[in-house]
Amino acid sequence: MFFAEYDRYDYVKPPLLEVICQLRFPSILSIGATAPVAFQEAIRQDFPRYEVKEEQLPPKVSQGPNPTLQSQPPVTNYNFISQDGFWKINLTNSFIALSTRQYRRWEDFAARLDKPLAQFIDIYHPAFFERIGLRYVNAFSRKVLGLKDALWDDLIQPAFLGVLGEPDVVENSVTKNLLNVEMNLSGGYHLKLSTGPGLLGGGKQDPEVKYILDNDLSRSGKEKEITAEQVPEHLEKMHVYAVRVFRGAITQTLHNALGATPKE
């Protein structure tokens, strides 16, 4: 089932490539006008490495009877990185994000987010949040899991497989099989799901075809503004959805191969 309740597990061989939490807010012009000195000082113990990048936004279409493409000014993206390089805070004038390539469990990730988010709110006082996003990018490797002889329909549930779930389709004959789904969830949440076999980085470094499960959840404040106090509750609910989608996507064979152990 797609959204059934499941017990939570830790995995000895986690398939996660990256986890990203982004919070968008109405533009704060002081971010980018001057370096975020106070914010860096507040989080420097946990994120001591610093980089800054100028990012060019794509052109936008102007409003009016004769719409034209208009260039946008570059956006300053401040990066605060942990000493080991696995955790990163991104700050621009319209969003703050935490990302990691070393995710272990939700409680650890939420704790890592708590301090920099609290410091950001204390220093910049955003009026409200326009959107909260929580994204899990997984890549299942048959080689790593000792399942080189298994087919994807042995490991992935039919609803996530597309034509690869059909018994008369030969896996090696399919050159492209991507499933993209967007759906509204109860509570005002939204799911954007992209899944299918693919090569990481175009296969330049790793030629093995892996099964990608890109699980992107969000909550928009279009109907009702999201306050800072509501953020933890929304993130917790999105995490619950993410766990259910993940568990609904994998078979018991894959669950066992990942080294599942019940969470204490």
Side-chain angles (χ1 to χ4, degrees):
M1 294 180 65
F2 215 88
F3 297 114
E5 293 187 28
Y6 294 96
D7 294 330
R8 290 180 60 195
Y9 284 80
D10 286 317
Y11 291 101
V12 176
K13 301 177 182 179
L16 277 166
L17 294 179
E18 189 173 26
V19 179
I20 308 163
C21 176
Q22 184 193 75
L23 299 97
R24 301 196 70 90
F25 48 85
S27 294
I28 300 175
L29 297 181
S30 61
I31 304 174
T34 59
V37 177
F39 182 70
Q40 185 202 30
E41 195 59 31
I43 66 170
R44 187 161 55 87
Q45 183 176 357
D46 298 320
F47 299 89
R49 296 164 57 187
Y50 171 76
E51 296 175 357
V52 60
K53 300 177 182 179
E54 293 292 325
E55 299 182 351
Q56 185 61 53
L57 298 176
K60 66 177 181 178
V61 179
S62 65
Q63 302 296 319
N66 299 304
T68 59
L69 283 177
Q70 294 181 336
S71 61
Q72 298 189 73
V75 171
T76 305
N77 192 327
Y78 299 100
N79 297 185
F80 307 89
I81 306 164
S82 62
Q83 185 174 356
D84 60 16
F86 290 120
W87 295 80
K88 181 169 67 173
I89 294 285
N90 287 83
L91 177 66
T92 75
N93 63 8
S94 61
F95 75 80
I96 182 172
L98 172 68
S99 61
T100 184
R101 294 178 286 114
Q102 200 175 53
Y103 183 95
R104 290 292 177 264
R105 58 171 59 195
W106 169 246
E107 289 78 9
D108 297 337
F109 185 88
R112 282 269 193 165
L113 176 63
D114 185 63
K115 181 178 178 180
L117 181 58
Q119 293 294 341
F120 164 76
I121 293 170
D122 184 59
I123 293 169
Y124 291 106
H125 309 289
F128 54 88
F129 291 101
E130 297 174 317
R131 181 185 182 276
I132 304 173
L134 183 61
R135 182 180 181 186
Y136 289 81
V137 184
N138 301 271
F140 301 100
S141 166
R142 290 182 286 200
K143 180 180 178 181
V144 169
L145 299 173
L147 298 168
K148 289 192 290 184
D149 295 329
L151 297 175
W152 289 124
D153 62 3
D154 298 322
L155 309 177
I156 305 295
Q157 296 287 2
F160 296 79
L161 281 174
V163 298
L164 288 176
E166 295 298 322
D168 59 345
V169 173
V170 179
E171 183 179 301
N172 291 338
S173 70
V174 179
T175 58
K176 188 175 183 180
N177 184 76
L178 298 178
L179 180 66
N180 294 298
V181 177
E182 293 195 36
M183 60 188 300
N184 295 321
L185 308 175
S186 63
Y189 301 98
H190 185 77
L191 170 65
K192 184 177 181 181
L193 179 69
S194 179
T195 183
L199 295 169
L200 300 181
K204 294 181 180 179
Q205 301 291 330
D206 184 357
E208 182 196 4
V209 174
K210 298 176 174 63
Y211 211 89
I212 311 299
L213 179 67
D214 187 343
N215 188 1
D216 192 352
L217 290 141
S218 62
R219 179 67 155 78
S220 172
K222 290 182 179 179
E223 296 182 0
K224 186 177 181 180
E225 298 169 354
I226 302 171
T227 66
E229 292 76 19
Q230 293 170 328
V231 168
E233 179 184 359
H234 287 313
L235 287 177
E236 180 62 37
K237 289 180 179 178
M238 284 190 284
H239 166 252
V240 170
Y241 272 124
V243 171
R244 293 179 179 180
V245 171
F246 178 86
R247 290 298 311 278
I250 65 175
T251 65
Q252 190 64 40
T253 298
L254 182 52
H255 178 70
N256 295 338
L258 290 168
T261 57
K263 285 185 181 291
E264 298 178 357

